[in-house]
Amino acid sequence: MPSTERFDKAYYDRFYRNPTTRAASHRDAALQAGFIVAYLRYLRLQVRHVVDIGCGLGRLLDALGDAIPSATRLGIESSRYLCDRYGWEPGALPHDVPRRSFDLVVCDDVLGYLDAEDAAAAIATLARLTRKALFFGVLTEEDLAICDPSRTDTDVHLRPAAWYRRRLGQRFQPVGGGLWLRKPVTAPIWTLERP
């Protein structure tokens, strides 16, 4: 697990608050949430319970709440600074997470901070937590060619995308855009809708 001191106010000011160095904005989170919710509705997967592990400032979690106001939401965060400021539940992958499961699990830009053993264990934990769908993102070796290093924390464990796909694919079916459905998949997914 990464040091919680790394994820202090200065870190979040740089990568999340400062318009000239932030990786994403509130609008980006709203667009991302709109995509996630629209696709899950298209698949007729009802979401009643959402958890965001490594929720940061909570922008995506808040946007998901706006899009599905009837769903309960839980933010899990390893940063003491953010837990104190926003009231998130302290916790971290791979083991310090709730025991219950959720319809939608969000884990975006977290596993790159874990070594290979913990990242593999975290994927197993994500499968245990996920009833229906996982929204997953992580910086991979291949992404270095397209990311803006002034807006991206590249001080992470970079792995090939295939490393993640192989492990996620044991328990999840990818459906595009960072969404993975928990196996066995009951929603009808046409062959060409699968990446």
Side-chain angles (χ1 to χ4, degrees):
M1 179 171 59
S3 166
T4 59
E5 287 75 32
R6 176 179 186 174
F7 304 109
D8 59 5
K9 182 179 183 305
Y11 176 91
Y12 288 97
D13 286 346
R14 176 180 176 190
F15 290 112
Y16 291 86
R17 293 188 181 110
N18 185 331
T20 63
T21 59
R22 69 181 175 209
S25 67
H26 287 283
R27 183 174 185 276
D28 296 323
L31 289 170
Q32 200 168 50
F35 164 77
I36 293 167
V37 171
Y39 202 171
L40 294 178
R41 283 184 181 146
Y42 168 72
L43 297 174
R44 291 169 176 72
L45 295 175
Q46 188 172 22
V47 175
R48 292 187 179 106
H49 305 284
V50 178
V51 66
D52 187 342
I53 301 174
C55 62
L57 302 182
R59 289 179 180 164
L60 183 54
L61 190 60
D62 289 344
L64 287 167
D66 292 341
I68 35 177
S70 61
T72 63
R73 292 171 290 140
L74 177 63
I76 305 290
E77 183 51 61
S78 67
S79 166
R80 281 179 275 174
Y81 160 69
L82 292 180
C83 289
D84 291 345
R85 172 135 188 207
Y86 295 103
W88 306 132
E89 185 172 309
L93 287 168
H95 306 297
D96 189 17
V97 295
R99 299 298 312 158
R100 63 190 183 280
S101 61
F102 300 82
D103 299 315
L104 173 61
V105 174
V106 174
C107 183
D108 194 20
D109 289 331
V110 173
L111 268 58
Y113 293 98
L114 303 179
D115 64 28
E117 182 179 343
D118 281 346
I123 290 171
T125 300
L126 291 171
R128 178 186 60 76
L129 289 170
T130 305
R131 272 189 229 130
K132 297 178 182 178
L134 168 69
F135 178 76
F136 180 82
V138 68
L139 185 69
T140 68
E141 287 177 353
E142 296 86 349
D143 296 319
L144 281 181
I146 60 170
C147 77
D148 178 347
S150 69
R151 294 176 178 265
T152 305
D153 184 2
T154 58
D155 185 18
V156 295
H157 297 278
L158 289 169
R159 301 177 186 94
W163 189 94
Y164 292 101
R165 285 191 183 116
R166 185 170 45 256
R167 286 158 181 80
L168 287 163
Q170 294 172 9
R171 296 172 176 97
F172 295 95
Q173 171 65 52
V175 293
L179 274 174
W180 298 73
L181 300 185
R182 183 72 166 95
K183 291 180 179 178
V185 175
T186 57
I189 309 295
W190 297 107
T191 302
L192 289 178
E193 293 176 341
R194 299 173 191 223

